[in-house]
Amino acid sequence: MLWLFVAVVVLVVILWPRSQGKPYDHYFSALNQLVRQQMPGCPVLIVDLDRVDQNLERVKAHLGDPSQVRIAAKSLPSPELIRYLLEKLGSNRLMSFHLPFLLQQFRSFPGSDFLVGKPFPVTAVKTFLRNLSDEEKARIVEIQWLIDTPSRLHQYLALASEQGLQFRVNVEIDVGLHRGGIQTLEALDQMMALINDHPEHLVFSGFMGYDAHLAKAPALPWKQGEARQQARSEAMAIYQRFVNHLREAWPDSYRDDLCFNGAGSMTYQLYPEGDKGCLNDFTIGSSFVKPTDFDLPTLVDHQPGMFIATPVLKKLDGLVIPFLERFAPWLAKLNVNWQKAFFVYGGWWKAKPCAPQGLRNNGIYGRSTNQEMLTASKGTGLNVDDTVFLRPTQSERVMLQFGGIRVVRGDEVIGFWSVFKE
């Protein structure tokens, strides 16, 4: 029985919660002072432009030709941020995913090359056209409409004919993600025949093959890199098959200015300079600010550049649960990370606390969008009026929730950038 007792003791020692709380590091200590001195005292969304620049340099260094980058506008829904990145990249390419945003982007970035990132219902295109002036309709050829099936292409042809317009058509192909797009050369032939039969209303502009699945190719940990490369080779073989067939079967439609779009923030580093396959257009967005969903082996050299900052309103000793007050001292002994409870301004964002370290949401007390409770050990050193920093799990939805973006560089706020309106 002694061995069983020893085993239980060892197990308790191993599993017993240890303090995870640590005070701000140098970066967040300085950012906390900046927030307290120069920001409004309510939750804000911060973008660190120094870190964005560092991530941007990683993209440039990897791809070689930054003008091939197409900004995923849904991931960075701020016209000023998009303009900043386009200028730094020397690119005029945007990918749009949301009807209201497309209209705002079309007006904010005249002369750009737009690729719609998902196949819009034809009714959405009708809505878009109804909101354009005659001068804006004359620019409709700046947009590549993503088409995933022959039947949708027929719908777009009918609309283009009705409106007396010419639509640029980018064909979505399935390179292994299995989220739609054509899978056969026969489907491509049907679409190319329809395009070529109606040149006054349709013009082929290229392919789009999204490959987000490559970043999460299943494999043993020490073989993940090999698995990603194998999946990448398979995806490129599919893509190349469509490009080869286009060149051979439809030579009059094969042009030097075709857009062969692929990759994404999670996978662009699988296409280094000199080994890009048939791709000449790379969509990147979230990796410039790196939310937590992009903490992947393919982006280890990118830094988080976007944070929610919210003030601490209240600091309490222990985890005190309504109707269970008598157990509060025991809860703090049970888990050292319940020694302190902090209530912050707002909450329940798609985000994870990151500074000071050791802050956690509490499943016993519950969540709140008004005053979120976070628990931690005394090791955080956090006090009322200090700032809790959270990393968004994604960028597109979270960036829209704060009325705009506080842009920081070094130890000062250099701007307040707007976001698109839904």
Side-chain angles (χ1 to χ4, degrees), residues 231-308:
R232 186 259 198 200
S233 297
E234 292 170 359
M236 280 299 93
I238 295 170
Y239 209 127
Q240 190 67 60
R241 183 163 62 96
F242 281 95
V243 172
N244 290 345
H245 184 76
L246 175 72
R247 183 189 293 115
E248 295 164 5
W250 305 95
D252 292 341
S253 297
Y254 189 89
R255 310 182 309 275
D256 290 339
D257 65 346
L258 292 180
C259 169
F260 295 143
N261 173 267
S265 283
M266 293 183 179
T267 58
Y268 87 88
Q269 291 203 14
L270 299 177
Y271 302 91
E273 185 178 11
D275 186 21
K276 297 178 180 179
C278 52
L279 301 184
N280 61 15
D281 194 85
F282 299 85
T283 304
I284 303 177
S286 295
S287 65
F288 290 114
V289 292
K290 198 181 182 182
T292 63
D293 285 352
F294 291 77
D295 287 342
L296 298 166
T298 50
L299 289 174
V300 292
D301 55 352
H302 283 242
Q303 293 193 76
M306 172 181 64
F307 306 98
I308 296 170

Side-chain angles (χ1 to χ4, degrees), residues 116 118-125 145-160 167 169-172 179-182 190-191 194-195 202:
V116 178
K118 58 190 175 192
F120 280 3
V122 72
T123 52
V125 184
W145 301 97
L146 191 66
I147 304 296
D148 58 333
T149 63
S151 61
R152 195 184 302 276
L153 183 59
H154 278 282
Q155 293 177 325
Y156 274 60
L157 171 59
L159 178 59
F167 289 159
V169 172
N170 190 294
V171 176
E172 182 179 14
R179 195 177 67 178
I182 62 172
Q190 291 180 49
M191 297 169 83
L194 189 63
I195 292 169
L202 301 173

Side-chain angles (χ1 to χ4, degrees), residues 196-224:
N196 285 355
D197 285 347
H198 300 276
E200 70 280 15
H201 297 305
L202 301 173
V203 58
F204 178 72
S205 66
F207 293 125
M208 191 273 269
Y210 187 40
D211 62 3
H213 61 293
L214 305 187
K216 301 178 181 179
L220 295 170
W222 58 89
K223 289 193 173 183
Q224 285 182 340

Side-chain angles (χ1 to χ4, degrees), residues 56 58 105 128 132 179 282 290 344 389 414 418:
L56 193 149
R58 293 305 309 145
Q105 292 155 14
F128 177 74
L132 298 183
R179 195 177 67 178
F282 299 85
K290 198 181 182 182
V344 299
F389 296 96
I414 65 168
S418 63

